[in-house]
Amino acid sequence: MNLKKLRGDWGEAVVADYLRNRGYEIAAVQFRCRMGEIDLIARQDGILCFVEVKTRTKAEYGIPRQAVGPRKQQRMRAAAAQYLALHDLDCPVRFDVAEVYAEDVLEAQHAKIAYLEAAFV
């Protein structure tokens, strides 16, 4: 497993814990279909949240939310539609972006999370 994948998986686990601690139920992790991938799918108060997680250990790569451009957004929308169809769901949805900042992936307690609800439509 490469370092980038390991760091991404770690960031997703940190955000999943963050969401659980705020009353969200995690419905799926790393949902994949031919349309794309969604890192986390969580539910709270009847809203299904499709979450893109971006983890950074260095600031030199820019603000993580900038990596969720129009192409990524379109792929997430398509994957979300596939998830809804597969699970026969008809409920309000939201697309969120979670930014995880940490100098070392072994130091989860020092990770900082910026959570952007309704980051795009």
Side-chain angles (χ1 to χ4, degrees):
M1 185 178 289
N2 68 36
L3 185 59
K4 183 177 178 180
K5 171 83 169 116
L6 195 66
R7 186 178 15 232
D9 289 351
W10 175 83
E12 290 168 12
V14 169
V15 173
D17 286 343
Y18 172 89
L19 292 173
R20 279 188 204 97
N21 289 335
R22 281 156 184 76
Y24 288 77
E25 172 193 344
I26 304 301
V29 176
Q30 295 181 352
F31 171 75
R32 287 183 176 89
C33 65
R34 67 181 185 88
M35 304 300 185
E37 179 202 358
I38 298 174
D39 295 328
L40 296 171
I41 302 173
R43 181 187 314 270
Q44 184 184 50
D45 299 330
I47 299 173
L48 199 60
C49 305
F50 296 95
V51 184
E52 176 68 12
V53 178
K54 293 295 181 186
T55 305
R56 297 289 186 266
T57 56
K58 296 179 180 171
E60 66 192 46
Y61 299 112
I63 299 170
R65 71 188 82 165
Q66 293 173 330
V68 186
R71 184 167 182 236
K72 178 62 179 174
Q73 291 174 20
Q74 182 56 38
R75 290 182 64 80
M76 281 186 70
R77 283 186 209 97
Q82 184 72 29
Y83 181 87
L84 293 168
L86 284 171
H87 293 87
D88 196 26
L89 296 172
D90 183 20
C91 60
V93 300
R94 190 175 75 208
F95 294 92
D96 299 348
V97 174
E99 300 176 333
V100 181
Y101 299 92
E103 288 185 29
D104 185 349
V105 296
L106 300 176
E107 296 293 327
Q109 67 269 21
H110 298 296
K112 293 181 183 172
I113 298 171
Y115 194 82
L116 305 151
E117 291 183 0
F120 60 92
V121 291

